[in-house]
């Protein structure tokens, strides 16, 4: 094998060092993280959309026979699934396993943040912007006014938290609810594939019920209780952030309860048909 000249090796290492410095000092420097993460989130949505389309064309028997708008929704649900897995795992880690929001640490927890927590919120902002744009562009094919309200409120609240560093804890508590998104998408995929009477559809419905109960009903109750316990800290936030901490979760919780009622009816209806 021909030996690479020492001068070439040194040049390559020099370029690598320069690239690392560029990433560290600019792309992932604290002041730029919100912007690079938002752009990264938008780019990730595009990649997820294209990969879903590519994989489905090769491995799904259902996909080629779908209408154009059904294919768009199929691919769009690939985006929301990827985002949901990413943000729910990160949210669970930051809220329950990291020490970032521990009461044992000094300082007000409502003002605590980290480069990782800021980055995660930025990726979510990129997702909400991308998904909302698709919903509005193809309205109402990808969802009605409830989806516009949900994405608008979520995007505004997450963006505010990211740029100000306020209420990262409560923002991530709400984002844990994204853990239900993959199951909702699987339900749609199974329905579209004509598998509504399958055992997989029934099991997935039960999982949706349990996940929704924990992540979108009980966890919201826990969040409001946590806010109550730390109200002396919450009151010190800026007025807009204070309103968001109470207003956005309250609206989302109401919507979650309405959807939960429909989920219960759906599960009962499916179980009745199988008897």
């Amino acid at each position: 094998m021909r030996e690479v000249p020492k001068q070439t090796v040194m040049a390559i290492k020099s370029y690598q060092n320069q690239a690392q410095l560029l990433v560290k000092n600019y792309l992932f420097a604290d002041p730029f993280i919100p912007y690079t993460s938002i752009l990264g989130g938008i780019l990730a949505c595009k990649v997820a959309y294209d990969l879903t389309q590519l994989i489905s064309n090769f491995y799904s028997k259902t996909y080629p026979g779908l209408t154009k708008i059904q294919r768009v929704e199929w691919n769009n649900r690939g985006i929301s699934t990827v985002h949901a897995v990413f943000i729910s795992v990160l949210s669970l880690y930051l809220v329950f396993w990291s020490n970032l929001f521990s009461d044992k640490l000094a300082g007000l927890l409502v003002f605590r943040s980290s480069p990782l927590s800021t980055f995660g919120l930025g990726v979510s902002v990129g997702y909400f912007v991308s998904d909302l744009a698709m919903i509005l562009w193809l309205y109402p094919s990808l969802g009605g006014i409830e989806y516009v309200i949900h994405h608008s409120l979520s995007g505004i609240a997450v963006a505010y938290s990211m740029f100000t560093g306020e209420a990262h804890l409560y923002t991530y508590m709400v984002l844990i609810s994204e853990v239900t998104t993959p199951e909702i998408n699987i339900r749609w995929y199974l329905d579209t594939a004509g598998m509504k009477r399958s055992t997989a559809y029934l099991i997935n419905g039960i999982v949706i019920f349990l996940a929704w109960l924990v992540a979108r009903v009980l966890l919201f109750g826990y969040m409001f209780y946590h806010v109550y316990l730390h109200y002396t800290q919450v009151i010190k936030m800026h007025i807009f952030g204070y309103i968001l901490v109470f207003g956005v979760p309250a609206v989302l919780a109401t919507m979650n309860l309405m959807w939960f009622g429909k989920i219960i009816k759906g599960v009962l209806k499916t179980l009745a048909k199988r008897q």
Side-chain angles (χ1 to χ4, degrees):
M1 182 180 294
R2 187 176 178 181
E3 186 178 351
V4 179
K6 185 177 181 180
Q7 201 170 19
T8 303
V9 174
M10 292 178 65
I12 293 174
K13 288 184 177 180
S14 175
Y15 284 122
Q16 288 177 338
N17 291 334
Q18 290 178 29
Q20 289 174 356
L21 287 173
L22 174 65
V23 171
K24 182 178 180 180
N25 294 334
Y26 293 96
L27 295 182
F28 289 122
D30 288 355
F32 298 102
I33 287 178
Y35 308 102
T36 55
S37 57
I38 291 174
L39 292 175
I42 294 173
L43 178 61
C45 288
K46 171 60 176 172
V47 172
Y49 186 96
D50 291 342
L51 283 177
T52 302
Q53 183 178 40
L54 180 64
I55 293 171
S56 300
N57 268 318
F58 280 100
Y59 296 104
S60 173
K61 296 180 180 179
T62 304
Y63 188 81
L66 299 177
T67 63
K68 183 178 180 180
I69 191 62
Q70 284 179 321
R71 291 187 184 186
V72 171
E73 183 168 0
W74 182 292
N75 301 335
N76 177 265
R77 287 179 181 273
I79 296 175
S80 62
T81 299
V82 171
H83 167 262
V85 171
F86 165 78
I87 201 62
S88 58
V89 170
L90 180 59
S91 298
L92 287 167
Y93 166 73
L94 289 174
V95 173
F96 295 111
W97 289 298
S98 75
N99 293 321
L100 180 60
F101 304 114
S102 173
D103 284 322
K104 297 178 181 179
L105 298 180
L108 303 181
L109 61 81
V110 294
F111 297 116
R112 286 189 206 153
S113 63
S114 70
L116 178 61
S117 66
T118 302
F119 176 81
L121 295 181
V123 171
S124 272
V125 171
Y127 160 72
F128 284 121
V129 169
S130 301
D131 204 39
L132 181 60
M134 289 190 68
I135 290 172
L136 293 175
W137 181 260
L138 298 170
Y139 189 84
S141 300
L142 296 182
I145 190 64
E146 68 274 14
Y147 286 92
V148 175
I149 294 173
H150 177 274
H151 278 43
S152 298
L153 288 176
S154 298
I156 291 171
V158 174
Y160 176 85
S161 181
M162 175 192 62
F163 281 114
T164 63
E166 292 184 359
H168 276 212
L169 171 60
Y170 299 127
T171 304
Y172 274 109
M173 279 188 179
V174 173
L175 286 172
I176 290 175
S177 63
E178 285 294 312
V179 74
T180 62
T181 299
E183 294 85 10
I184 296 295
N185 288 340
I186 290 173
R187 179 182 181 276
W188 185 89
Y189 286 133
L190 291 172
D191 190 6
T192 304
M195 299 176 65
K196 200 168 184 177
R197 294 183 177 275
S198 66
T199 302
Y201 189 88
L202 175 62
I203 294 174
N204 185 67
I206 295 173
V207 172
I208 289 175
F209 169 80
L210 295 174
W212 200 282
L213 175 62
V214 174
R216 290 185 181 262
V217 179
L218 298 179
L219 186 60
F220 271 70
Y222 172 75
M223 194 213 76
F224 287 123
Y225 178 65
H226 195 282
V227 170
Y228 167 75
L229 292 178
H230 296 81
Y231 185 74
T232 54
Q233 296 188 31
V234 175
I235 196 66
K236 296 179 181 180
M237 295 171 56
H238 291 91
I239 184 62
F240 188 65
Y242 176 86
I243 293 172
L244 288 177
V245 164
F246 286 96
V248 173
V251 174
L252 295 180
T254 302
M255 296 174 70
N256 288 339
L257 288 173
M258 293 171 59
W259 283 327
F260 190 54
K262 294 180 180 180
I263 290 172
I264 293 174
K265 290 180 180 179
V267 171
L268 294 176
K269 187 176 179 180
T270 302
L271 289 173
K273 288 181 178 179
R274 296 180 67 88
Q275 290 180 351

